[in-house]
Amino acid sequence: MHEMSIALGIVQLAEKKARESNAQYISKINIQIGTLSGIEIDSFEFAWPLAVKETLLEKAVKILDVVPAKAKCSDCNHDFDIHNIYDACPKCGSYFKHIYQGKELKVKYIEIEK
Ligand SMILES: [Zn+2]
């Protein structure tokens, strides 16, 4: 499962950061996932408890921010919500656009206990 390796990668990254600060454990983690990041949220939620088992994140409260994808049309400059990377501009029908939000997959912050 693709989402499992993503979750493990996030856990690894968070643990590394926590260890650098001499943390005992991580109490909270905030993760941002864009709707066009290619991550299946349900699968990610399913993978998470398995990924954090016996790590510093085992008891961490997970806050998942789902970031809606947005694009700007290259032809008419219209700003719109995009649900699929092949979506056309709803105003002029152009397929040329710049997706400026919604592809993120990142740890926004972690809270640690020492
Ligand atoms: Zn347009």
Side-chain angles (χ1 to χ4, degrees), residues 39-67:
I39 310 294
E40 204 47 75
I41 303 291
D42 287 349
S43 303
F44 185 81
E45 293 277 16
F46 178 79
W48 186 255
L50 303 169
V52 299
K53 212 167 182 200
E54 286 165 26
T55 72
L56 298 181
L57 284 108
E58 192 158 19
K59 298 195 169 64
V61 176
K62 168 176 57 70
I63 299 167
L64 211 61
D65 287 342
V66 177
V67 183

mmCIF file of all heavy atoms in Angstrom, residues 39-67:
data_model
loop_
_atom_site.group_PDB
_atom_site.id
_atom_site.type_symbol
_atom_site.label_atom_id
_atom_site.label_comp_id
_atom_site.label_asym_id
_atom_site.label_seq_id
_atom_site.Cartn_x
_atom_site.Cartn_y
_atom_site.Cartn_z
ATOM 1 N N ILE A 39 -2.576 11.042 -2.425
ATOM 2 C CA ILE A 39 -2.768 10.251 -1.207
ATOM 3 C C ILE A 39 -4.254 10.009 -0.989
ATOM 4 O O ILE A 39 -5.056 10.930 -1.006
ATOM 5 C CB ILE A 39 -2.216 10.987 0.039
ATOM 6 C CG1 ILE A 39 -0.793 11.477 -0.179
ATOM 7 C CG2 ILE A 39 -2.337 10.105 1.283
ATOM 8 C CD1 ILE A 39 0.218 10.392 -0.348
ATOM 9 N N GLU A 40 -4.580 8.757 -0.768
ATOM 10 C CA GLU A 40 -5.945 8.345 -0.453
ATOM 11 C C GLU A 40 -6.112 8.543 1.062
ATOM 12 O O GLU A 40 -5.442 7.864 1.852
ATOM 13 C CB GLU A 40 -6.016 6.856 -0.822
ATOM 14 C CG GLU A 40 -7.324 6.214 -1.139
ATOM 15 C CD GLU A 40 -8.221 6.936 -2.088
ATOM 16 O OE1 GLU A 40 -7.949 6.918 -3.294
ATOM 17 O OE2 GLU A 40 -9.224 7.472 -1.599
ATOM 18 N N ILE A 41 -6.940 9.499 1.467
ATOM 19 C CA ILE A 41 -7.040 9.839 2.896
ATOM 20 C C ILE A 41 -7.475 8.625 3.735
ATOM 21 O O ILE A 41 -6.901 8.358 4.792
ATOM 22 C CB ILE A 41 -8.029 11.016 3.133
ATOM 23 C CG1 ILE A 41 -7.625 12.262 2.341
ATOM 24 C CG2 ILE A 41 -8.142 11.344 4.629
ATOM 25 C CD1 ILE A 41 -6.369 12.962 2.789
ATOM 26 N N ASP A 42 -8.472 7.896 3.272
ATOM 27 C CA ASP A 42 -8.953 6.722 4.020
ATOM 28 C C ASP A 42 -7.843 5.696 4.235
ATOM 29 O O ASP A 42 -7.695 5.149 5.323
ATOM 30 C CB ASP A 42 -10.122 6.051 3.295
ATOM 31 C CG ASP A 42 -11.397 6.875 3.389
ATOM 32 O OD1 ASP A 42 -11.412 7.841 4.178
ATOM 33 O OD2 ASP A 42 -12.358 6.557 2.684
ATOM 34 N N SER A 43 -7.072 5.450 3.193
ATOM 35 C CA SER A 43 -5.973 4.489 3.291
ATOM 36 C C SER A 43 -4.906 5.001 4.244
ATOM 37 O O SER A 43 -4.302 4.240 4.991
ATOM 38 C CB SER A 43 -5.335 4.242 1.925
ATOM 39 O OG SER A 43 -6.296 3.797 1.022
ATOM 40 N N PHE A 44 -4.697 6.313 4.198
ATOM 41 C CA PHE A 44 -3.695 6.907 5.077
ATOM 42 C C PHE A 44 -4.122 6.759 6.544
ATOM 43 O O PHE A 44 -3.322 6.382 7.398
ATOM 44 C CB PHE A 44 -3.487 8.386 4.722
ATOM 45 C CG PHE A 44 -2.383 9.032 5.505
ATOM 46 C CD1 PHE A 44 -1.064 8.874 5.126
ATOM 47 C CD2 PHE A 44 -2.677 9.782 6.640
ATOM 48 C CE1 PHE A 44 -0.032 9.456 5.862
ATOM 49 C CE2 PHE A 44 -1.650 10.362 7.379
ATOM 50 C CZ PHE A 44 -0.333 10.191 6.985
ATOM 51 N N GLU A 45 -5.401 7.040 6.801
ATOM 52 C CA GLU A 45 -5.949 6.908 8.160
ATOM 53 C C GLU A 45 -5.817 5.466 8.650
ATOM 54 O O GLU A 45 -5.579 5.221 9.820
ATOM 55 C CB GLU A 45 -7.437 7.309 8.179
ATOM 56 C CG GLU A 45 -7.696 8.780 7.906
ATOM 57 C CD GLU A 45 -7.549 9.652 9.149
ATOM 58 O OE1 GLU A 45 -6.971 9.203 10.145
ATOM 59 O OE2 GLU A 45 -8.028 10.810 9.088
ATOM 60 N N PHE A 46 -6.006 4.547 7.743
ATOM 61 C CA PHE A 46 -5.906 3.126 8.075
ATOM 62 C C PHE A 46 -4.455 2.739 8.388
ATOM 63 O O PHE A 46 -4.181 1.987 9.321
ATOM 64 C CB PHE A 46 -6.438 2.293 6.902
ATOM 65 C CG PHE A 46 -6.344 0.807 7.128
ATOM 66 C CD1 PHE A 46 -7.272 0.146 7.922
ATOM 67 C CD2 PHE A 46 -5.322 0.075 6.551
ATOM 68 C CE1 PHE A 46 -7.178 -1.219 8.144
ATOM 69 C CE2 PHE A 46 -5.217 -1.299 6.768
ATOM 70 C CZ PHE A 46 -6.153 -1.946 7.569
ATOM 71 N N ALA A 47 -3.527 3.270 7.614
ATOM 72 C CA ALA A 47 -2.112 2.922 7.755
ATOM 73 C C ALA A 47 -1.479 3.556 8.997
ATOM 74 O O ALA A 47 -0.564 2.991 9.586
ATOM 75 C CB ALA A 47 -1.339 3.355 6.509
ATOM 76 N N TRP A 48 -1.983 4.709 9.386
ATOM 77 C CA TRP A 48 -1.348 5.497 10.444
ATOM 78 C C TRP A 48 -1.096 4.742 11.766
ATOM 79 O O TRP A 48 0.040 4.708 12.254
ATOM 80 C CB TRP A 48 -2.144 6.792 10.689
ATOM 81 C CG TRP A 48 -1.467 7.702 11.651
ATOM 82 C CD1 TRP A 48 -1.815 7.921 12.953
ATOM 83 C CD2 TRP A 48 -0.294 8.494 11.419
ATOM 84 N NE1 TRP A 48 -0.936 8.798 13.540
ATOM 85 C CE2 TRP A 48 0.006 9.166 12.622
ATOM 86 C CE3 TRP A 48 0.536 8.689 10.299
ATOM 87 C CZ2 TRP A 48 1.096 10.013 12.746
ATOM 88 C CZ3 TRP A 48 1.625 9.538 10.429
ATOM 89 C CH2 TRP A 48 1.891 10.191 11.633
ATOM 90 N N PRO A 49 -2.141 4.121 12.366
ATOM 91 C CA PRO A 49 -1.902 3.427 13.642
ATOM 92 C C PRO A 49 -0.854 2.324 13.536
ATOM 93 O O PRO A 49 -0.133 2.057 14.502
ATOM 94 C CB PRO A 49 -3.261 2.827 14.001
ATOM 95 C CG PRO A 49 -4.244 3.402 13.061
ATOM 96 C CD PRO A 49 -3.530 4.028 11.922
ATOM 97 N N LEU A 50 -0.745 1.701 12.392
ATOM 98 C CA LEU A 50 0.254 0.650 12.187
ATOM 99 C C LEU A 50 1.646 1.266 12.077
ATOM 100 O O LEU A 50 2.620 0.745 12.612
ATOM 101 C CB LEU A 50 -0.063 -0.142 10.914
ATOM 102 C CG LEU A 50 -1.444 -0.800 10.859
ATOM 103 C CD1 LEU A 50 -1.738 -1.313 9.452
ATOM 104 C CD2 LEU A 50 -1.544 -1.930 11.861
ATOM 105 N N ALA A 51 1.703 2.399 11.392
ATOM 106 C CA ALA A 51 2.994 3.063 11.164
ATOM 107 C C ALA A 51 3.591 3.631 12.456
ATOM 108 O O ALA A 51 4.806 3.673 12.608
ATOM 109 C CB ALA A 51 2.832 4.169 10.126
ATOM 110 N N VAL A 52 2.741 4.078 13.391
ATOM 111 C CA VAL A 52 3.255 4.734 14.605
ATOM 112 C C VAL A 52 3.516 3.749 15.752
ATOM 113 O O VAL A 52 4.031 4.138 16.793
ATOM 114 C CB VAL A 52 2.295 5.841 15.136
ATOM 115 C CG1 VAL A 52 2.119 6.924 14.095
ATOM 116 C CG2 VAL A 52 0.962 5.278 15.572
ATOM 117 N N LYS A 53 3.136 2.505 15.539
ATOM 118 C CA LYS A 53 3.294 1.511 16.600
ATOM 119 C C LYS A 53 4.744 1.414 17.071
ATOM 120 O O LYS A 53 5.658 1.301 16.264
ATOM 121 C CB LYS A 53 2.824 0.146 16.080
ATOM 122 C CG LYS A 53 2.237 -0.688 17.173
ATOM 123 C CD LYS A 53 1.492 -1.881 16.636
ATOM 124 C CE LYS A 53 0.913 -2.595 17.846
ATOM 125 N NZ LYS A 53 0.575 -3.949 17.623
ATOM 126 N N GLU A 54 4.917 1.491 18.396
ATOM 127 C CA GLU A 54 6.241 1.408 19.020
ATOM 128 C C GLU A 54 7.219 2.472 18.527
ATOM 129 O O GLU A 54 8.420 2.233 18.403
ATOM 130 C CB GLU A 54 6.828 0.002 18.836
ATOM 131 C CG GLU A 54 6.151 -1.016 19.747
ATOM 132 C CD GLU A 54 6.436 -2.452 19.339
ATOM 133 O OE1 GLU A 54 7.470 -2.697 18.717
ATOM 134 O OE2 GLU A 54 5.593 -3.308 19.640
ATOM 135 N N THR A 55 6.679 3.643 18.196
ATOM 136 C CA THR A 55 7.534 4.783 17.846
ATOM 137 C C THR A 55 7.233 5.912 18.829
ATOM 138 O O THR A 55 6.322 5.795 19.666
ATOM 139 C CB THR A 55 7.257 5.307 16.418
ATOM 140 O OG1 THR A 55 5.984 5.975 16.410
ATOM 141 C CG2 THR A 55 7.247 4.182 15.399
ATOM 142 N N LEU A 56 7.955 7.007 18.700
ATOM 143 C CA LEU A 56 7.721 8.178 19.557
ATOM 144 C C LEU A 56 6.342 8.794 19.301
ATOM 145 O O LEU A 56 5.873 9.629 20.061
ATOM 146 C CB LEU A 56 8.800 9.249 19.310
ATOM 147 C CG LEU A 56 10.257 8.886 19.611
ATOM 148 C CD1 LEU A 56 11.156 10.067 19.320
ATOM 149 C CD2 LEU A 56 10.408 8.440 21.060
ATOM 150 N N LEU A 57 5.719 8.354 18.213
ATOM 151 C CA LEU A 57 4.422 8.928 17.853
ATOM 152 C C LEU A 57 3.234 8.068 18.271
ATOM 153 O O LEU A 57 2.098 8.384 17.939
ATOM 154 C CB LEU A 57 4.333 9.117 16.331
ATOM 155 C CG LEU A 57 5.110 10.282 15.764
ATOM 156 C CD1 LEU A 57 6.307 9.807 15.010
ATOM 157 C CD2 LEU A 57 4.229 11.149 14.913
ATOM 158 N N GLU A 58 3.519 7.003 19.005
ATOM 159 C CA GLU A 58 2.448 6.056 19.308
ATOM 160 C C GLU A 58 1.230 6.714 19.960
ATOM 161 O O GLU A 58 0.105 6.361 19.678
ATOM 162 C CB GLU A 58 2.980 4.916 20.184
ATOM 163 C CG GLU A 58 1.996 3.761 20.278
ATOM 164 C CD GLU A 58 2.667 2.441 20.662
ATOM 165 O OE1 GLU A 58 3.791 2.465 21.184
ATOM 166 O OE2 GLU A 58 2.048 1.401 20.423
ATOM 167 N N LYS A 59 1.485 7.711 20.843
ATOM 168 C CA LYS A 59 0.357 8.355 21.534
ATOM 169 C C LYS A 59 0.060 9.749 20.991
ATOM 170 O O LYS A 59 -0.724 10.496 21.570
ATOM 171 C CB LYS A 59 0.655 8.418 23.036
ATOM 172 C CG LYS A 59 0.801 7.036 23.643
ATOM 173 C CD LYS A 59 0.739 7.083 25.157
ATOM 174 C CE LYS A 59 0.614 5.693 25.757
ATOM 175 N NZ LYS A 59 1.801 4.844 25.493
ATOM 176 N N ALA A 60 0.679 10.100 19.918
ATOM 177 C CA ALA A 60 0.503 11.453 19.382
ATOM 178 C C ALA A 60 -0.896 11.672 18.810
ATOM 179 O O ALA A 60 -1.461 10.789 18.170
ATOM 180 C CB ALA A 60 1.551 11.714 18.299
ATOM 181 N N VAL A 61 -1.435 12.852 19.087
ATOM 182 C CA VAL A 61 -2.695 13.254 18.472
ATOM 183 C C VAL A 61 -2.364 13.673 17.046
ATOM 184 O O VAL A 61 -1.482 14.493 16.820
ATOM 185 C CB VAL A 61 -3.327 14.449 19.227
ATOM 186 C CG1 VAL A 61 -4.579 14.932 18.521
ATOM 187 C CG2 VAL A 61 -3.622 14.061 20.666
ATOM 188 N N LYS A 62 -3.057 13.079 16.093
ATOM 189 C CA LYS A 62 -2.789 13.397 14.694
ATOM 190 C C LYS A 62 -3.847 14.361 14.180
ATOM 191 O O LYS A 62 -5.031 14.095 14.279
ATOM 192 C CB LYS A 62 -2.798 12.112 13.861
ATOM 193 C CG LYS A 62 -2.812 12.362 12.361
ATOM 194 C CD LYS A 62 -2.714 11.065 11.576
ATOM 195 C CE LYS A 62 -3.801 10.069 11.888
ATOM 196 N NZ LYS A 62 -5.138 10.461 11.404
ATOM 197 N N ILE A 63 -3.385 15.476 13.663
ATOM 198 C CA ILE A 63 -4.304 16.431 13.046
ATOM 199 C C ILE A 63 -4.018 16.435 11.559
ATOM 200 O O ILE A 63 -2.899 16.720 11.131
ATOM 201 C CB ILE A 63 -4.124 17.846 13.636
ATOM 202 C CG1 ILE A 63 -4.419 17.806 15.132
ATOM 203 C CG2 ILE A 63 -5.025 18.844 12.932
ATOM 204 C CD1 ILE A 63 -3.989 19.044 15.868
ATOM 205 N N LEU A 64 -5.031 16.077 10.796
ATOM 206 C CA LEU A 64 -4.874 15.980 9.352
ATOM 207 C C LEU A 64 -5.583 17.168 8.696
ATOM 208 O O LEU A 64 -6.779 17.335 8.845
ATOM 209 C CB LEU A 64 -5.514 14.670 8.900
ATOM 210 C CG LEU A 64 -4.920 13.969 7.697
ATOM 211 C CD1 LEU A 64 -3.483 13.590 7.952
ATOM 212 C CD2 LEU A 64 -5.734 12.724 7.397
ATOM 213 N N ASP A 65 -4.810 17.999 8.020
ATOM 214 C CA ASP A 65 -5.411 19.099 7.277
ATOM 215 C C ASP A 65 -5.487 18.696 5.816
ATOM 216 O O ASP A 65 -4.461 18.429 5.194
ATOM 217 C CB ASP A 65 -4.541 20.357 7.373
ATOM 218 C CG ASP A 65 -4.602 21.002 8.743
ATOM 219 O OD1 ASP A 65 -5.542 20.702 9.485
ATOM 220 O OD2 ASP A 65 -3.709 21.808 9.049
ATOM 221 N N VAL A 66 -6.700 18.641 5.304
ATOM 222 C CA VAL A 66 -6.853 18.337 3.888
ATOM 223 C C VAL A 66 -6.899 19.673 3.155
ATOM 224 O O VAL A 66 -7.760 20.506 3.418
ATOM 225 C CB VAL A 66 -8.122 17.503 3.631
ATOM 226 C CG1 VAL A 66 -8.309 17.255 2.141
ATOM 227 C CG2 VAL A 66 -8.035 16.177 4.382
ATOM 228 N N VAL A 67 -5.924 19.874 2.279
ATOM 229 C CA VAL A 67 -5.800 21.150 1.583
ATOM 230 C C VAL A 67 -6.478 21.056 0.218
ATOM 231 O O VAL A 67 -6.079 20.257 -0.626
ATOM 232 C CB VAL A 67 -4.303 21.513 1.396
ATOM 233 C CG1 VAL A 67 -4.151 22.873 0.734
ATOM 234 C CG2 VAL A 67 -3.563 21.471 2.730
#
